[in-house]
């Protein structure tokens, strides 16, 4: 996972509150071999070293031993509490006092490292520098007022606020305990951004090879493997659970699960129920294979037990993820089949909100106005079914509306942006009138409408998306936590600015808004710029600014900031290659433009926080 940027370490240290510190930080007489770090919202400890359990006497002895206690704070006063490290001297002795020089350095960093007062907000060197005005407010600059004579290298160094001392480490500086130099610490801190989520768990080659071998043996009828009925039942269940569960993302998982299902139909029909078929169909749906829809529907038609709504929903998802040209038609046909069976008395297949949402999502992937219109009609049909009482399980929710918004955003029609914004307004009015939180717009809804405007060819779209962003901020400040802007919102607004159309005044306004959004992101608490942020701003420079010394200066500073934050990703590198001359490219990267340099060829500190891939970024963000 990406390491925490050095700039954020200072912010998180300041944000720790007194009650939080008193709750999680032990007293200076606590365990000697303990390292604890405040993260701004929580304090995390992880056991390392020996796993042997200690007796209560041993623990008491360790607590009474005291000394050598190490914190990552150095006499940082928070409210009425003061946290003092116990081992910050150069000798490492647990004296419980810190040197005056260390305290002064840490205090200076806290006081001036995060934000430096901006003397001139219209200076070209202030673009993306992450600084605030003296009064704490934000100011939009005028592109015509760039100061071409400023030394951007000196300004960039000053903007770092002395944070160069953090550039080589992803965590805040901390001292080590000296109570037991030869032993490893009992607890070690792992920053949240370095913890490995479940979706990053590695599937070892040995385990997957063994699973494939066992599956082949079962399918080939290997003698002795299924010596008893109990062992045979458990083996089939274990193999099917593995291919439909943890290993469902393997390329051959759907086929192996399907083969096991066919064998179970012949050998162990008593083990098969509707859930078994649904799990195999879901494995095809998650595979995104081109034939997923066809195979999933063929399994549905050959089921030996009655299907239910979950089974139909999985087949619709398989069609939606297949990319087949007939996917939308097949999805609508399956939904109509569910409604017909339900009307005939089969309540097990009555369409639910999930069923309608899956079909709407499938219609959105048609990328045309017809699909968007059909999606909106289906949404109205859901409302009619729910309000009339004919199907209370088909109540539209925020995902239903978001799917229709997505259909219009991807339709490419001239009225797409206006349609999407009208639906967003309708969501707000309905949520307020009916006091229904299920349809209240969330951050995804606003991001989709902003993207609809970014894709449009209408004049003044940069101003429109800025107004949408400001409306989000108002709702969030009024207490609606679900619309808090994140880095995706900021990137989407800047993307609309990058592709704004119009005269010179419109181009200047687009650059102003893009710079305003970058400052808001860097100086606020809604997130941190990522490689998409910097890459999109470089696109703004490429599309909206004429080739001049001013543009080259801004491009250089943006790339330096991306280097500083470890966010030089593929988008940044490709846009820089198209935007700059060979000489400037060599000056910034140290490589020649003819080399076709990849991100992997760059220094690690330039790319350490890059998260490539749309799905990985979503998982990292949400």
């Amino acid at each position: 996972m990406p390491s925490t940027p050095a700039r954020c370490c200072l912010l998180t240290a300041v944000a720790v509150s007194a009650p939080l510190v008193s709750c999680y930080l032990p007293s200076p007489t606590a365990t000697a071999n303990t390292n604890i770090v405040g993260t701004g919202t929580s304090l995390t400890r992880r056991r390392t070293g020996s796993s042997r359990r200690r007796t209560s006497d041993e623990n008491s002895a360790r607590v009474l031993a005291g000394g050598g206690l190490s914190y990552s704070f150095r006499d940082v006063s928070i409210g009425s509490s003061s946290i003092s490290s116990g081992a910050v001297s150069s000798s490492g002795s647990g004296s419980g006092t810190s040197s005056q020089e260390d305290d002064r350095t840490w205090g200076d960093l806290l006081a001036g490292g995060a934000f430096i007062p901006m003397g001139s907000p219209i200076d070209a060197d202030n673009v993306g520098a992450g600084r605030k005005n003296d009064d704490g407010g934000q100011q939009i600059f005028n592109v015509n007022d760039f100061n071409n004579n400023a030394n951007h290298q000196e300004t960039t160094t000053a903007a770092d606020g002395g944070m160069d001392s953090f550039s080589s480490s992803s965590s805040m500086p901390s001292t080590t305990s000296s109570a037991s130099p030869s032993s490893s610490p009992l607890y070690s801190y792992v920053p949240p951004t370095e913890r490995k989520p479940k979706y990053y768990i590695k599937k070892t080659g040995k385990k997957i090879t063994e699973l494939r071998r066992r599956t082949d043996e079962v399918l080939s009828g290997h003698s002795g493997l299924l010596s008893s009925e109990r062992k045979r039942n458990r083996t089939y269940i274990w193999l099917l659970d593995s291919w439909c569960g943890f290993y469902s993302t393997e390329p051959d998982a759907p086929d192996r699960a399907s083969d096991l299902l066919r064998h179970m139909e012949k050998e162990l029909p008593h083990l098969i129920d509707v859930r078994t078929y649904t799990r195999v169909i879901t494995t095809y749906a998650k595979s995104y294979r081109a034939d997923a829809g066809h195979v999933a529907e063929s399994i549905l038609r050959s089921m030996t037990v009655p299907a239910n709504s979950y089974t139909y929903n999985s087949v619709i998802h398989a069609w939606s993820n297949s990319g087949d040209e007939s996917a939308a038609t097949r999805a609508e046909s399956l939904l109509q089949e569910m409604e017909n069976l339900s009307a005939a008395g089969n309540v097990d297949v009555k369409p639910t909100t999930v069923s309608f949402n899956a079909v709407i999502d499938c219609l959105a992937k048609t990328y045309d106005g017809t699909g968007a219109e059909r999606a909106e009609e289906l949404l109205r049909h859901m409302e009619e079914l729910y309000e009339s009482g004919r199907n209370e399980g088909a109540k539209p929710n925020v995902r239903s509306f978001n799917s229709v918004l997505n259909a219009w955003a991807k339709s490419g029609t001239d009225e797409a942006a206006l349609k999407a914004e009208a639906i967003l307004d309708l969501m707000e009015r309905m949520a307020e009138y009916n006091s229904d939180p299920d349809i209240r717009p969330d951050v995804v809804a606003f991001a989709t409408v902003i993207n609809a405007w970014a894709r449009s060819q209408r004049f003044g779209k940069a101003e429109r998306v800025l107004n949408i962003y400001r409306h989000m901020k108002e709702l969030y400040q009024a207490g609606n936590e679900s619309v808090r802007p994140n880095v995706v919102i900021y990137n989407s607004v800047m993307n609309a600015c990058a592709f704004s159309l119009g005269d010179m005044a419109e181009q200047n306004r687009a650059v102003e808004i893009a710079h305003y959004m970058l400052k808001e992101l860097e100086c606020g608490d809604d997130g941190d710029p990522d490689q998409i942020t910097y890459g999109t701003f470089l696109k703004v420079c490429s599309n909206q600014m004429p080739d001049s010394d001013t543009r080259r200066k801004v491009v250089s500073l943006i790339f330096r900031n991306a280097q500083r934050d470890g966010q030089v990703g593929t988008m940044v590198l490709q846009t820089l290659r198209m935007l700059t001359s060979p000489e400037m490219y060599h000056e910034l990267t140290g490589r020649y433009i003819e080399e076709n340099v990849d991100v992997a060829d760059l220094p690690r500190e330039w790319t350490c926080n890059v998260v490539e891939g749309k799905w990985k970024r979503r998982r990292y963000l949400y």
Side-chain angles (χ1 to χ4, degrees):
M1 287 292 292
S3 58
T4 305
R7 175 169 52 84
C8 298
C9 297
L10 301 175
L11 299 177
T12 55
V14 176
V16 179
S17 61
L20 186 64
V21 172
S22 62
C23 176
Y24 284 90
L25 286 180
S27 63
T29 59
T31 305
N33 288 335
T34 302
N35 282 342
I36 305 176
V37 175
T39 64
T41 57
S42 64
L43 296 172
T44 306
R45 302 190 296 182
R46 186 180 69 174
R47 292 185 65 90
T48 59
S50 175
S51 60
R52 181 179 70 85
R53 292 182 178 274
R54 295 184 177 86
T55 64
S56 58
D57 293 336
E58 287 177 311
N59 286 328
S60 300
R62 290 169 62 83
V63 171
L64 292 175
L69 185 63
S70 173
Y71 297 127
S72 287
F73 299 95
R74 299 182 178 176
D75 286 345
V76 183
S77 296
I78 304 175
S80 59
S81 302
S82 178
I83 309 168
S84 299
S85 64
V88 296
S89 61
S90 58
S91 62
S93 61
S95 60
T97 59
S98 58
S99 63
Q100 183 177 359
E101 180 180 358
D102 285 341
D103 292 340
R104 184 173 62 255
T105 302
W106 183 245
D108 292 343
L109 287 174
L110 290 177
F115 301 121
I116 297 178
M118 179 187 294
S120 174
I122 60 176
D123 194 329
D125 300 323
N126 292 337
V127 178
R131 297 181 288 179
K132 284 187 175 179
N133 294 324
D134 294 333
D135 58 356
Q138 301 292 342
Q139 183 171 354
I140 298 179
F141 72 96
N142 188 337
V143 67
N144 297 322
D145 292 332
F146 277 114
N147 182 0
N148 295 325
N149 299 322
N151 188 336
H152 70 273
Q153 294 181 350
E154 295 179 0
T155 306
T156 304
T157 304
D160 291 340
M163 287 184 287
D164 290 342
S165 59
F166 293 89
S167 60
S168 61
S169 174
S170 62
S171 60
M172 297 170 57
S174 62
T175 56
T176 57
S177 172
S178 62
S180 180
S182 61
S183 61
S184 61
L186 175 62
Y187 296 104
S188 63
Y189 170 66
V190 180
T193 54
E194 293 184 3
R195 299 177 199 144
K196 189 170 292 185
K198 293 181 179 179
Y199 54 84
Y200 278 121
I201 296 177
K202 299 292 184 181
K203 302 179 180 69
T204 61
K206 182 177 180 181
K207 289 184 177 181
I208 190 63
T209 301
E210 175 67 15
L211 182 63
R212 289 192 176 102
R213 184 184 66 81
R214 294 292 297 273
T215 304
D216 292 337
E217 289 178 347
V218 169
L219 296 177
S220 62
H222 189 276
S223 59
L225 181 62
L226 308 177
S227 56
S228 65
E229 182 179 358
R230 180 184 178 186
K231 187 174 183 179
R232 180 177 58 201
N233 295 347
R234 293 180 63 182
T235 301
Y236 270 100
I237 293 175
W238 166 66
L239 291 174
L240 194 63
D241 285 346
S242 298
W243 289 116
C244 296
F246 187 75
Y247 294 96
S248 61
T249 56
E250 293 294 321
D252 57 340
D255 294 331
R256 290 185 176 272
S258 179
D259 292 340
L260 286 169
L261 178 63
R262 297 311 175 196
H263 270 252
M264 292 175 67
E265 287 177 337
K266 298 176 181 179
E267 304 292 337
L268 304 168
H270 61 280
L271 292 181
I272 298 178
D273 57 9
V274 64
R275 184 173 177 271
T276 307
Y277 285 102
T278 303
R279 294 191 68 189
V280 175
I281 293 174
T282 302
T283 306
Y284 275 98
K286 293 191 294 185
S287 68
Y288 288 84
R289 284 171 33 169
D291 63 339
H294 291 280
V295 178
E297 189 166 351
S298 67
I299 295 175
L300 173 68
R301 302 308 178 190
S302 63
M303 289 178 59
T304 59
V305 295
N308 58 21
S309 59
Y310 297 101
T311 312
Y312 275 91
N313 294 346
S314 298
V315 178
I316 294 173
H317 280 296
W319 276 113
S320 178
N321 296 337
S322 67
D324 194 286
E325 292 181 356
S326 61
T329 303
R330 294 304 310 152
E332 287 186 290
S333 176
L334 288 168
L335 181 64
Q336 185 62 48
E337 181 180 332
M338 295 176 70
E339 291 193 278
N340 293 339
L341 291 173
S342 175
N346 188 354
V347 295
D348 291 337
V349 295
K350 179 180 288 188
T352 63
T353 302
V354 177
S355 309
F356 285 97
N357 290 351
V359 177
I360 293 175
D361 183 61
C362 195
L363 291 169
K365 295 178 181 179
T366 60
Y367 296 94
D368 57 31
T370 304
E373 291 175 356
R374 286 153 60 191
E376 190 169 348
E377 291 174 1
L378 200 56
L379 178 63
R380 295 195 186 99
H381 180 53
M382 292 177 66
E383 296 174 347
E384 180 186 354
L385 290 175
Y386 175 72
E387 292 176 356
S388 64
R390 287 185 290 163
N391 189 351
E392 295 183 356
K395 177 185 177 182
N397 57 18
V398 65
R399 184 166 183 176
S400 308
F401 284 91
N402 289 350
S403 297
V404 176
L405 290 174
N406 188 40
W408 278 114
K410 294 179 178 179
S411 66
T413 60
D414 293 337
E415 70 276 8
L418 295 175
K419 287 276 190 179
E421 191 166 356
I423 294 174
L424 181 66
D425 294 338
L426 176 64
M427 293 174 66
E428 291 190 81
R429 292 197 305 270
M430 290 178 61
E432 183 177 359
Y433 179 78
N434 300 326
S435 300
D436 187 359
D438 292 339
I439 58 176
R440 180 179 297 142
D442 57 4
V443 66
V444 177
F446 281 93
T448 307
V449 175
I450 292 174
N451 283 330
W453 275 106
R455 294 168 181 258
S456 72
Q457 302 296 319
R458 291 184 172 270
F459 180 81
K461 61 183 179 181
E463 198 73 42
R464 295 293 290 261
V465 296
L466 177 62
N467 292 334
I468 294 174
Y469 161 76
R470 286 172 171 167
H471 181 52
M472 289 184 67
K473 294 288 286 188
E474 292 174 358
L475 293 175
Y476 171 66
Q477 292 169 359
N480 188 354
E481 295 285 342
S482 64
V483 296
R484 178 178 183 177
N486 55 22
V487 67
V488 175
I489 296 295
Y490 290 89
N491 294 347
S492 299
V493 173
M494 284 190 282
N495 185 55
C497 296
F499 296 97
S500 290
L501 307 174
D503 53 13
M504 183 64 68
E506 175 70 12
Q507 289 181 318
N508 286 352
R509 182 57 178 162
V511 177
E512 290 177 358
I513 294 173
H515 176 244
Y516 170 76
M517 297 303 297
L518 183 60
K519 287 201 301 179
E520 283 275 292
L521 182 59
E522 288 190 319
C523 300
D525 56 356
D526 293 330
D528 299 303
D530 58 9
Q531 66 133 339
I532 305 299
T533 308
Y534 292 117
T536 305
F537 197 92
L538 290 177
K539 282 188 176 181
V540 174
C541 297
S542 176
N543 297 342
Q544 308 299 348
M545 297 180 66
D547 188 8
S548 60
D549 291 340
T550 298
R551 189 178 80 169
R552 286 188 286 272
K553 205 168 194 178
V554 174
V555 168
S556 177
L557 182 57
I558 292 298
F559 184 76
R560 297 300 185 192
N561 287 350
Q563 285 180 322
R564 176 199 65 193
D565 294 342
Q567 293 288 359
V568 182
T570 302
M571 184 178 181
V572 173
L573 200 60
Q574 290 178 349
T575 309
L576 185 72
R577 186 181 289 115
M578 295 185 297
L579 181 59
T580 60
S581 63
E583 295 78 12
M584 184 176 181
Y585 183 85
H586 181 266
E587 178 186 352
L588 293 175
T589 64
R591 309 294 290 268
Y592 292 100
I593 199 169
E594 297 83 6
E595 296 182 40
N596 196 20
V597 179
D598 191 56
V599 174
D601 302 325
L602 300 176
R604 174 58 181 166
E605 56 269 20
W606 292 11
T607 63
C608 57
N609 292 323
V610 172
V611 180
E612 296 282 10
K614 179 177 68 174
W615 294 109
K616 286 186 177 180
R617 286 197 299 271
R618 284 187 180 182
R619 289 166 176 170
Y620 176 64
L621 180 62
Y622 298 104

